[in-house]
């Protein structure tokens, strides 16, 4: 009998596979491709206090080994999320993790507080989106701010709080320690790397905002290195992500120190990617007669 269960901040997930925020909506579009009951958790697109319309198009560009996005945290606001998305997701046997968006500390706190009475399992504090002028990565690249925003959100939240870290820093371990000092219950990393693509015929950047977040298989080595660094720096559970598309990728992240894994960009070319990753993990466990993922977690 294999044990795939993991625990993040006191919440038990039946397996380590999640969806990366922003790549899976709230799951509705994916229901026809895969059974959402298979997932350890659905991590939904960033949710703010009021609706945000996001950045102007073009906001997606394909690149070698990945893609750039500058969506700008478009979302319908927390009330619509509570009314429409939670009842949809609650039909499935999976945990709900809500990615929190805000322009100020107070806005993050307000969303966390509003969700305190909602039926969701965990919160993921998004201080790493590179596509917004206020909030997002502006908070996630300053260790003092990471600690402060984590502390304030923790005071006002009922659910455990995961802090999503940005790779656009010199020392990600410093940010991880700051989140831990602020009372985080877990960490997720990495969000996207700031990148650019240029249309040489139009002589301008492809994305309307000029730059955007780079994700996909090409960033996996960077993500693995950062997960390994953070796993050695803190004792919090880590959700590793960045270019995961197969079970083998996920096993690498677990060996690097991740407790759980999130599948992101792979969903755009394979809507069943998270299911494939889960099956791949099980195959690996069978091949090497691993009974519990704890046997290989952090062995690097
Ligand atoms: C976006 O909406 O711009 C992407 C989300 C993120 O990077 O956190």
């Amino acid at each position: 009998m294999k044990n795939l269960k993991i625990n993040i901040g006191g919440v038990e997930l039946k397996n380590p596979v999640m969806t990366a925020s922003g790549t899976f909506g709230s799951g509705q579009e994916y229901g026809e491709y895969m059974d959402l009951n298979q997932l350890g958790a659905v991590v939904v697109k960033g949710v703010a206090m009021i609706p945000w319309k996001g950045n102007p198009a073009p906001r997606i560009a394909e690149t070698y080994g990945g893609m750039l996005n500058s969506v700008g945290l478009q979302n319908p606001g927390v009330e619509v999320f509570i009314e429409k998305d939670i009842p949809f997701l609650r039909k499935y046997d999976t945990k709900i993790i809500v990615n929190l968006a805000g322009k100020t500390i107070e806005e993050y706190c307000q969303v966390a507080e509003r969700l305190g009475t909602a039926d969701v399992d965990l919160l993921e504090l998004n201080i790493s989106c590179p596509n917004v002028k206020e909030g997002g990565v502006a908070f996630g690249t300053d260790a003092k701010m990471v600690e402060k925003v984590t502390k304030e959100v923790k005071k006002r939240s009922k659910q455990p709080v995961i802090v999503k870290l940005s790779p656009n820093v010199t020392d990600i371990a410093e940010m991880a320690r700051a989140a831990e000092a602020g009372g985080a219950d877990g960490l997720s990393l990495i969000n996207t790397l700031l990148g650019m693509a240029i249309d040489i015929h139009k002589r301008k950047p492809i994305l309307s905002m000029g730059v955007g977040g780079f994700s996909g298989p090409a960033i996996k080595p960077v993500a693995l290195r950062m997960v390994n660094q953070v796993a050695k720096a803190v004792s919090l559970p880590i959700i590793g992500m960045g270019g995961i598309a197969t079970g083998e990728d996920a096993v690498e992240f677990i060996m690097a120190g991740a407790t759980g894994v999130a599948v992101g960009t792979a969903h755009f070319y394979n809507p069943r990617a998270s299911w494939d990753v889960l099956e791949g993990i099980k195959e690996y466990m069978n091949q090497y007669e691993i009974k519990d993922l704890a046997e290989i977690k952090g062995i690097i």
Side-chain angles (χ1 to χ4, degrees):
M1 192 55 182
K2 281 190 289 294
N3 180 26
L4 285 152
K5 285 182 193 151
I6 63 161
N7 190 297
I8 311 266
V11 177
E12 187 178 275
L13 276 60
K14 65 182 169 196
N15 70 58
V17 180
M18 296 163 237
T19 60
S21 173
T23 65
F24 206 73
S26 290
Q28 284 93 334
E29 302 90 339
Y30 287 87
E32 64 181 283
Y33 299 103
M34 68 166 289
D35 176 10
L36 302 185
N37 292 302
Q38 302 291 331
L39 292 165
V42 172
V43 186
V44 304
K45 175 76 184 155
V47 176
M49 211 46 207
I50 54 166
W52 289 8
K53 65 180 169 52
N55 293 329
R59 49 192 199 177
I60 297 284
E62 201 169 333
T63 66
Y64 292 119
M67 61 176 278
L68 290 162
N69 92 82
S70 70
V71 173
L73 291 170
Q74 178 182 344
N75 77 95
V78 71
E79 296 306 329
V80 173
F81 172 75
I82 289 173
E83 193 188 318
K84 295 208 168 126
D85 295 324
I86 297 178
F88 168 79
L89 285 168
R90 272 296 170 233
K91 289 188 284 183
Y92 298 93
D93 176 23
T94 187
K95 299 293 183 207
I96 304 175
I97 304 182
V98 186
N99 184 277
L100 301 185
K103 293 191 167 80
T104 61
I105 293 182
E106 181 52 25
E107 281 185 22
Y108 282 113
C109 290
Q110 285 170 359
V111 192
E113 203 160 52
R114 180 66 188 92
L115 289 167
T117 53
D119 188 11
V120 299
D121 300 293
L122 288 141
L123 307 179
E124 179 181 62
L125 178 58
N126 186 346
I127 51 168
S128 45
C129 174
N131 304 323
V132 285
K133 289 201 180 72
E134 300 148 298
V137 80
F139 286 168
T141 50
D142 174 341
K144 283 199 178 73
M145 197 52 117
V146 171
E147 183 174 343
K148 187 167 179 200
V149 65
T150 306
K151 203 175 262 171
E152 294 306 316
V153 169
K154 273 293 292 176
K155 275 188 214 157
R156 309 257 295 265
S157 59
K158 289 253 170 18
Q159 295 88 351
V161 176
I162 299 159
V163 177
K164 186 164 185 178
L165 299 178
S166 171
N168 302 300
V169 293
T170 309
D171 182 3
I172 195 155
E174 186 192 359
M175 302 303 155
R177 281 191 290 266
E180 189 173 49
D185 300 286
L187 300 172
S188 55
L189 63 141
I190 59 174
N191 204 323
T192 53
L193 288 148
L194 195 60
M196 186 185 220
I198 292 172
D199 182 332
I200 57 168
H201 305 290
K202 294 185 182 150
R203 302 184 179 200
K204 57 180 205 168
I206 294 177
L207 297 174
S208 69
M209 301 303 284
V211 294
F214 182 37
S215 62
I219 73 165
K220 196 183 86 180
V222 178
L224 267 175
R225 184 264 295 173
M226 289 189 158
V227 165
N228 195 231
Q229 248 180 307
V230 168
K232 288 177 173 149
V234 298
S235 56
L236 297 172
I238 296 168
I239 301 169
M241 73 193 85
I244 297 177
T246 66
E248 286 94 337
D249 294 334
V251 170
E252 283 189 72
F253 275 84
I254 293 165
M255 287 186 173
T259 296
V261 292
V263 181
T265 302
H267 286 127
F268 297 132
Y269 60 86
N270 173 15
R272 289 158 51 100
S274 34
W275 187 80
D276 289 348
V277 167
L278 177 61
E279 289 306 301
I281 294 172
K282 288 182 192 162
E283 273 167 37
Y284 181 84
M285 290 175 83
N286 284 339
Q287 188 182 352
Y288 290 96
E289 297 179 4
I290 293 165
K291 291 203 168 52
D292 193 313
L293 288 173
E295 291 171 37
I296 55 165
K297 181 182 164 274
I299 59 170
I300 302 300

